[in-house]
Amino acid sequence: MPSMKFLFRSLLLALLLSSCARGPANTGAITLRFMDAPDIGGAWAQLIDRFEAAHADIHIELIEGPASTNAREEIYTEAFLSGEPIFDLVYMDIIWLAQFAHSGWLRSLIPYIEEDALEEFLPGDVAGCKYQDELYAVPMRSDTSVLYYRKDLLEEAGFPPPAGLHELVTVAKSLQVLPFQWGYVFQGAQDEGLVCNFFELLWGMGGDLNLDGGEIVLNTPEAVEALRWQQNLIHLHKISPPGVTKYHEEETRHMFHEGRAVFMHNWPYAWILAQKPDSPVRGKVGILPLLQRADKESPPVLGGWRFGISALSEHPEEAWEFIRFATSAESQKLFHFANGAIPTRRALFEDPEILLESPHYSALYPALLKAHARPMHPKYAQVSGVLQRHLHRALVSGEDPQKVLKAAEAELLSTLD
């Protein structure tokens, strides 16, 4: 069997050969490359055409990589390790930034943008562009978790939207009709979605996971309470199906959109799909910020994508020109209408055309203002892997949360030693 590194290098080479075969649109122009998932909605094509029309000396080459976020991260990593200036622009998930910056693969953007200009973006997204107080990216699109609910079912039963976790359980129990309609679905599979769910509950219980300073404490009363609440959804309250431990975002969405769940934890992309003409729940869905205990605030997990400049780039000034253009209000508005991308510029959440198309932004905006980044640590991928295994085991088995978290804490200490 070929090694994973060989497979990724082969894939990278194939992508580059395919890209180079098309050649630059403008003869003699500088070519800048970056990678993202396939441009299904054509948003990148529109944005690049507009940029090149105004910059005849710069050609932008989008390499359409795998749909898998992890696979694209591996390809970027292999490109950096090769030492060749393959990508001038780095379009990255928020959780990649710390590793890329720590490894010296990104240029500081402080020389290119004033601090006042950053205030035009959502504060959480700006924080997610920094590592050790240095700015390495500009936010292009935002994302955060929200709570979806069947507003028609709650209204018919005379329930107001729940105001806390206890009320969520009560309403979900009252409205579920087993086995056809469950009370609550979330991302319980062994992947990053489960870790996001856990962090949100941990923060909502008043806890956190601090990976700085060489001391790691995970096995706390707040973490135990958070994990136990997740377990109870399945094993005690029975408002989440046992199969939720295999659900990613799409399995969760299908359950809710098919009318088989009252509440759903998911990302905002699900709203757009719920409003399609053929959706069984069109016009029946409401959105709430994530719920918490009565005495605590629960910030949702921040997601989203941002642009940086490769430290290997031979054309950083031209790369910055594209970043400035791509992250502008006009470009983010184009992206919103082309594929539903959530802007990172505050002003766009008051744009009449956007609000007409996406009225749920009035509920989404407060959640984005509170959104909190996962630990900005260069070994976050390893941290997440440890958490995924232990949290998933606890959900499936119902094992004592304190015992599970003690084991996870010990493995984290070994991993980050």
Side-chain angles (χ1 to χ4, degrees):
M1 290 288 289
S3 68
M4 183 63 72
K5 182 175 291 188
F6 174 82
L7 290 174
F8 277 119
R9 284 181 174 167
S10 298
L11 177 57
L12 176 61
L13 179 61
L15 287 169
L16 289 174
L17 288 174
S18 172
S19 170
C20 294
R22 290 194 292 271
N26 305 304
T27 303
I30 292 170
T31 296
L32 306 178
R33 294 188 179 89
F34 73 97
M35 179 174 53
D36 191 20
D39 187 22
I40 296 174
W44 282 126
Q46 293 181 56
L47 189 148
I48 290 170
D49 284 346
R50 290 188 183 187
F51 177 81
E52 292 182 347
H55 299 80
D57 58 336
I58 305 173
H59 172 60
I60 303 298
E61 186 73 59
L62 166 65
I63 294 179
E64 295 182 285
S68 165
T69 301
N70 289 345
R72 296 200 305 279
E73 180 186 12
E74 291 279 0
I75 293 173
Y76 269 121
T77 298
E78 289 299 324
F80 289 131
L81 291 173
S82 75
E84 296 295 327
I86 296 169
F87 297 112
D88 296 271
L89 295 150
V90 186
Y91 190 60
M92 66 194 113
D93 192 331
I94 186 173
I95 60 175
W96 304 353
L97 187 136
Q99 179 193 348
F100 287 6
H102 179 79
S103 300
W105 297 338
L106 301 175
R107 287 179 181 265
S108 169
L109 298 188
I110 289 178
Y112 297 98
I113 188 168
E114 298 292 335
E115 192 69 29
D116 289 350
L118 292 173
E119 293 178 4
E120 299 176 9
F121 296 88
L122 293 164
D125 283 281
V126 172
C129 289
K130 294 180 178 180
Y131 176 67
Q132 295 183 344
D133 295 326
E134 190 83 13
L135 183 74
Y136 288 100
V138 178
M140 173 68 184
R141 57 187 299 182
S142 191
D143 215 357
T144 195
S145 302
V146 290
L147 180 67
Y148 292 83
Y149 69 99
R150 286 286 302 278
K151 62 181 183 180
D152 59 322
L153 297 180
L154 270 68
E155 289 170 359
E156 290 170 8
F159 286 114
L165 293 175
H166 178 73
E167 289 182 27
L168 169 64
V169 172
T170 300
V171 175
K173 268 189 172 183
S174 299
L175 296 183
Q176 69 179 5
V177 182
L178 301 181
F180 309 105
Q181 180 177 274
W182 288 85
Y184 180 74
V185 288
F186 64 100
Q187 292 75 53
Q190 185 177 317
D191 76 350
E192 186 64 23
L194 174 58
V195 176
C196 290
N197 278 236
F198 175 73
F199 270 121
E200 289 161 346
L201 287 167
L202 176 61
W203 297 333
M205 303 301 179
D208 203 352
L209 174 61
N210 185 0
L211 301 177
D212 297 325
E215 183 177 358
I216 300 171
V217 180
L218 176 62
N219 186 22
T220 63
E222 294 84 5
V224 169
E225 185 179 3
L227 181 52
R228 181 170 286 120
W229 196 85
Q230 283 187 308
Q231 289 178 317
N232 286 346
L233 294 170
I234 305 168
H235 300 285
L236 177 63
H237 304 309
K238 301 185 187 301
I239 60 173
S240 298
V244 79
T245 57
K246 298 179 182 178
Y247 289 6
H248 303 269
E249 284 79 4
E250 275 296 273
E251 289 84 358
T252 307
R253 183 184 69 80
H254 282 296
M255 280 284 288
F256 186 78
H257 284 188
E258 292 167 8
R260 294 189 286 140
V262 181
F263 293 96
M264 172 181 69
H265 176 288
N266 214 325
W267 301 90
Y269 84 98
W271 170 271
I272 298 166
L273 298 176
Q275 304 311 314
K276 286 186 174 293
D278 60 348
S279 168
V281 295
R282 185 181 185 187
K284 302 176 181 179
V285 178
I287 285 182
L288 292 171
L290 294 184
L291 304 179
Q292 66 256 355
R293 292 189 336 193
D295 59 337
K296 298 291 181 184
E297 182 173 307
S298 180
V301 156
L302 178 68
W305 292 79
R306 54 224 63 242
F307 263 119
I309 300 176
S310 168
L312 298 171
S313 174
E314 298 172 355
H315 307 288
E317 299 295 332
E318 291 83 357
W320 171 249
E321 276 300 305
F322 181 72
I323 291 176
R324 189 171 62 84
F325 181 90
T327 59
S328 68
E330 182 181 1
S331 294
Q332 290 193 16
K333 189 171 179 177
L334 180 157
F335 247 69
H336 168 79
F337 284 109
N339 63 12
I342 300 169
T344 59
R345 288 185 173 270
R346 297 171 187 250
L348 292 178
F349 290 89
E350 299 178 353
D351 185 287
E353 293 179 336
I354 288 180
L355 289 175
L356 183 64
E357 171 80 11
S358 301
H360 65 294
Y361 271 24
S362 59
L364 180 60
Y365 186 59
L368 288 167
L369 287 177
K370 294 195 306 180
H372 190 62
R374 284 152 283 179
M376 299 295 288
H377 194 281
K379 290 188 176 181
Y380 178 77
Q382 294 94 314
V383 170
S384 177
V386 171
L387 292 175
Q388 287 176 36
R389 291 192 299 275
H390 289 277
L391 295 174
H392 188 257
R393 187 180 83 242
L395 288 193
V396 173
S397 67
E399 189 177 345
D400 177 51
Q402 190 168 19
K403 180 180 177 182
V404 172
L405 292 170
K406 183 178 180 180
E409 182 178 278
E411 188 172 347
L412 283 175
L413 285 166
S414 175
T415 299
L416 301 183
D417 186 16

